Amino acid sequence: MGSYLSHLECSACGQTYSADELRTVCPACGKVLLARYDLARAREQTRLKDEPGRPTSLWRYPELLPVRDPSNVVTLGEGWTPLLSANRLGRALGCRRLMVKDEGLNPTGSFKARGMAVAVSRAKELGARSLATPSAGNAACAMSAYAARAGLEAYVFMPEDAPATNQELCLSYGAHLFLVRGLISDCGRIVRREGPGRGWFDVSTLREPYRVEGKKTMGYELAEQLGWRLPDVIVYPTGGGTGIVGMWKAFSEMQELGWIDDRRPRMVSVQSTGCAPIVRAFQNGQTYAEPWAEARTIAGGLRVPSAIGDYLILRAIRDSGGTAIAVSDDEIVEAMKRMSRDEGLFVSTEAAATVAGLDQLIRSGSVDPDAEIVLFLTGSGLLNPATTSVSRPVLDPDDVDGCRRVIDTQP
Ligand SMILES: Cc1ncc(COP(=O)(O)O)c(C=O)c1O
Ligand SMILES: [Zn+2]
């Protein structure tokens, strides 16, 4: 059950490279390198469907992951998250077949664990000693945790207003944390300026070939959990876009493996009205996205003014017949509450954006209410609960009348 990894290929110029050395972007054109596998051989030799004993983590697909020696796998049990039906939320939004994939159950509370588990494992396998990443918060937590488990140094750079819980988590894992007066793009500039001279391996989103391999397992799992088919619509909160790019890649791989047919979901990218470079480029028919000026939103993971994989995100959306829409911070906060109240799922702001986005799409008629829809709830709300501040009564246990009065007057 080894990896069928064969080489790296540039997603823009097509140049190929050996996969067995540490690499970031394409040396020829600076764009995104993607891992390629010998899928014909994997198709002949892999019997996933008849092998019940595989681990219930993303490592159940080792053939399609880049780690060559299983002893290099650094795992905290990431992946194989529940695919839940969301009937009450579905009724409220007016759609009949709504499901959610609860990525908040991953180690460190978000789907970033998938990408980092695979990137850190592979970086360790290829000899990296210290890792660096710019992050809105969640990716830094994941990288710090996996680096700790692998015995590697972690250097993380976050905007100074990144959630306090994210900062505390990174510090608890022993990472070197730096707060940056600026956005994630400014954090990235520091990593690229300082990293090479200091021996840091840069694991920024899509500037390193293997985080997307971890994220693509969301696509493999979704197909497997649905009995080797895909839903009609996938709604995904998009910042750097690794998840959407990864899942789109997974679908092609699975078709070549003979695991699914050629039907594809419509891929819907949700961004914030305060930072929507992909939505704007999609609406303007552009293949690349202009950087967004003055990006501002409470959904920190969506505050990505410029994504290196913009052309890959836009390609996936268009090739799938999907769309891209923006939602406001107020809609996001409302959606967070609705998700908790209707389904018992306390989700992050980014995850809540999918609910707000779907609401718009159903109302505007862009998504058929009878379609089978999956929302990717990419993170847990526990990491950044401050957005749900509601006043709460305090009781004095010895003041019996006072207690009763307060309890009786609660709405
Ligand atoms: C919870 C959450 N959802 C979504 C995103 C955006 O993910 P991607 O970079 O894959 O577009 C992030 C990124 O920080 C995030 O933390
Ligand atoms: Zn290239």
Side-chain angles (χ1 to χ4, degrees), residues 110-112 136 138-139 205 215 236-244 300-302 348 350-351 378-379:
S110 84
F111 74 146
K112 298 282 175 183
N138 288 336
T205 297
K215 291 271 190 85
Y236 181 83
T238 306
T242 345
I244 206 163
L302 308 187
S348 72
E350 298 84 1
T378 46

Side-chain angles (χ1 to χ4, degrees), residues 9-17 25-33 311:
E9 182 182 72
C10 177
S11 57
C13 75
Q15 187 75 37
T16 60
Y17 301 94
V25 291
C26 173
C29 75
K31 296 292 182 188
V32 177
L33 290 179
Y311 59 107

Side-chain angles (χ1 to χ4, degrees), residues 137-156:
N138 288 336
C141 292
M143 191 190 82
S144 304
Y146 289 97
R149 194 151 166 87
L152 306 180
E153 293 272 320
Y155 291 84
V156 301

